[in-house]
Amino acid sequence: MRQNRLGKSKVQVTELGFGGGPLGGLFEPLDDETAAEALETAWDSGIRYFDTSPHYGIGHSERRIGDLLRGKPREEWTLSTKVGRLLVPQDPAGRMDESFAVPATHRRVWDFTRDGVLRSVEDSLGRMGVDHIDVLFLHDAEERFEDALREGYPALAELRAQGMVGAIGAGMYHPGKLTRLVEESDVDVVMLSGRYTLLDSSALDELLPACMDRGVSVLAASIFNSGLLATARPAESATFDYAPATPQILERAHRMADVCEAHGVTLPAVAMAFPLRHPAVSGIVVGMRTADEVQRNVAAFGAEIPATLWDDLRGEGLLDERAPVHT
């Protein structure tokens, strides 16, 4: 699987990355055996970039990814995690976590200070059982952006200067705030959630041009917009950005599916190929929870997309005219 370098760093990622959110029990519980099978299948399929966060299952995702990677040659894989939330132990008292289907053994405390960043990194290294992290992101800082920019970013830059991490950036869904980060700091990469997809190309307004100007790489996450683009034909109950899809969005997705079917490819395959057509995008990150999901996504990722499909999507008014699609 092809690898690309992140910004001006030496860190490389496979164009298809493994998103660790589902390994934390996103939406429904997940046992260790199923998670391990998914990760091993990803490795066997050529995926070498794995992304996680303390937030995902209050540590479960980090632990499970660490369990895989510790048994693989260190020079062969790339690992990213995130800072911004510290995990504080607590008595679950029979409760489940508010965000993931796991017992509430910890609570999250927002902290983008230097001390908070350093503690978060130390805790993550301990949970994963690895000696260093390749890519470190400020996580979900939309509502705490000034703290993340003024306090969190310098801490990340310090860790990079010390060689503790290879590349730094932020993972958010807000293109405008990521644009500010790109313009006002010296990050290597941004992870953009759900804003450069077949259904939402708002990153073309400012963020992607800024990344091109500054030599910053983009990793496109949530490329299925939380489910709507994840199947060949969206169900009426499909979600868009974690809410029920509107009739208008559903109709547009079905029209896209019609074009895909006419060209003998699936909607998920085209959704995976689309972001990588932009020269700023170094990779896509797809959340996966089972071996079967991994196999389906790897197969879709490897599909050949006819050049005429992009022209037909554009001709139907279904694709942003500014989006580069021909390489």
Side-chain angles (χ1 to χ4, degrees):
M1 192 174 292
R2 193 165 83 171
Q3 299 198 20
N4 295 316
R5 190 161 61 101
L6 297 181
K8 297 180 283 290
S9 77
K10 296 180 180 179
V11 178
Q12 299 211 17
V13 296
T14 47
E15 287 191 328
L16 176 58
F18 189 105
L23 296 189
L26 185 63
F27 302 129
E28 58 185 88
L30 184 70
D31 61 85
D32 283 347
E33 182 179 357
T34 301
E37 289 173 354
L39 287 162
E40 285 288 358
T41 302
W43 182 271
D44 292 343
S45 300
I47 294 173
R48 293 294 182 269
Y49 171 44
F50 298 84
D51 173 68
T52 185
S53 167
H55 172 56
Y56 303 154
I58 47 178
H60 278 65
S61 175
E62 286 190 321
R63 174 179 58 79
R64 287 165 167 167
I65 285 179
D67 287 346
L68 170 84
L69 296 181
R70 286 196 305 277
K72 308 297 183 185
R74 184 60 182 92
E75 69 277 7
E76 292 188 18
W77 47 265
T78 300
L79 170 66
S80 62
T81 193
K82 307 179 179 80
V83 297
R85 297 175 176 91
L86 293 173
L87 303 183
V88 178
Q90 66 177 6
D91 181 357
R95 293 177 292 112
M96 298 296 285
D97 181 65
E98 67 272 15
S99 301
F100 293 80
V102 295
T105 56
H106 294 72
R107 60 186 177 89
R108 300 168 180 83
V109 177
W110 287 100
D111 194 335
F112 286 104
T113 66
R114 178 181 181 276
D115 287 347
V117 166
L118 297 181
R119 178 180 162 190
S120 183
V121 170
E122 182 179 2
D123 289 349
S124 289
L125 290 172
R127 277 189 293 269
M128 293 186 286
V130 298
D131 59 1
H132 71 278
I133 296 160
D134 299 296
V135 189
L136 192 60
F137 293 108
L138 303 165
H139 196 198
D140 291 345
E142 283 85 356
E143 303 304 319
R144 297 165 175 81
F145 183 74
E146 296 302 327
D147 291 341
L149 179 63
R150 305 305 172 197
E151 299 184 60
Y153 162 70
L156 265 59
E158 179 183 336
L159 289 169
R160 181 180 60 184
Q162 294 171 349
M164 293 294 295
V165 298
I168 60 172
M172 290 189 279
Y173 66 83
H174 196 294
K177 290 180 178 178
L178 283 175
T179 301
R180 272 196 63 198
L181 180 74
V182 167
E183 293 176 342
E184 298 180 22
S185 72
D186 182 30
V187 294
D188 304 290
V189 57
V190 295
M191 182 176 287
L192 176 66
S193 178
R195 297 297 177 262
Y196 193 56
T197 74
L198 286 175
L199 291 170
D200 186 335
S201 55
S202 54
L204 286 168
D205 296 339
E206 297 178 333
L207 178 59
L208 292 177
C211 288
M212 291 293 293
D213 289 344
R214 300 276 292 179
V216 173
S217 292
V218 176
L219 294 171
S222 300
I223 58 166
F224 297 143
N225 286 118
S226 82
L228 188 57
L229 298 173
T231 58
R233 182 64 64 175
E236 292 301 310
S237 59
T239 58
F240 176 78
D241 285 357
Y242 303 99
T246 65
Q248 293 79 13
I249 290 287
L250 267 174
E251 180 191 12
R252 186 176 172 207
H254 277 285
R255 290 176 62 200
M256 287 180 168
D258 291 339
V259 175
C260 293
E261 287 178 5
H263 287 273
V265 295
T266 66
L267 185 59
V270 176
M272 297 174 90
F274 171 72
L276 288 164
R277 299 281 169 150
H278 196 288
V281 177
S282 294
I284 60 173
V285 179
V286 179
M288 296 176 262
R289 73 167 57 235
T290 67
D292 183 58
E293 279 187 16
V294 173
Q295 291 168 346
R296 290 200 310 269
N297 284 325
V298 169
F301 179 78
E304 188 71 28
I305 309 299
T308 51
L309 176 142
W310 305 112
D311 297 328
D312 287 351
L313 284 174
R314 188 163 280 164
E316 292 282 336
L318 296 170
L319 203 60
D320 194 311
E321 290 286 342
R322 302 169 296 170
V325 289
H326 293 300
T327 57

